[in-house]
Amino acid sequence: MKIVHVMTDFGAIKADKEVPDNYQLQANESVTLPAIPAYAPDYQPIKVDINAADPEQMMLSQLALQQAQFQASQQKVNSQLALQLAQLTAKEAQNV
């Protein structure tokens, strides 16, 4: 089994899925992550059976999920700030 990352058209990770080793990648799928992965706000991580995972796997899964959630929230904040900046710029242009 291997993990496949499903990307948006803009390259953000939308979901992960576990597939057989002989799985053929579809469009917008990858088995590797970029150096600094960007997660879509609606990112769906793989559901892990906690009872089957060892403590190290559980910790790594929790850290990966926390990182994905943090990055998604940061992207949302960045989008909001960009929108506010665009609105202020447009308002300033009207005042000139």
Side-chain angles (χ1 to χ4, degrees):
M1 299 297 275
K2 62 183 176 181
I3 304 298
V4 170
H5 309 288
V6 181
M7 312 291 210
T8 66
D9 290 336
F10 301 105
I13 301 169
K14 185 175 182 178
D16 296 321
K17 61 183 178 180
E18 192 171 8
V19 296
D21 289 332
N22 61 351
Y23 178 80
Q24 295 296 315
L25 292 176
Q26 305 298 314
N28 292 338
E29 290 183 344
S30 175
V31 292
T32 59
L33 289 173
I36 301 176
Y39 293 89
D42 59 346
Y43 170 69
Q44 296 296 313
I46 294 175
K47 304 295 185 223
V48 177
D49 181 7
I50 294 178
N51 296 325
D54 65 38
E56 183 178 355
Q57 287 175 327
M58 288 173 44
M59 182 183 71
L60 291 173
S61 295
Q62 289 173 346
L63 288 174
L65 177 59
Q66 288 173 352
Q67 180 184 14
Q69 290 171 336
F70 174 76
Q71 288 178 335
S73 68
Q74 289 301 100
Q75 286 179 340
K76 182 178 178 181
V77 168
N78 289 344
S79 295
Q80 291 170 339
L81 289 173
L83 178 61
Q84 288 175 350
L85 179 61
Q87 289 171 342
L88 286 173
T89 303
K91 188 175 181 179
E92 184 65 27
Q94 289 176 353
N95 291 335
V96 173

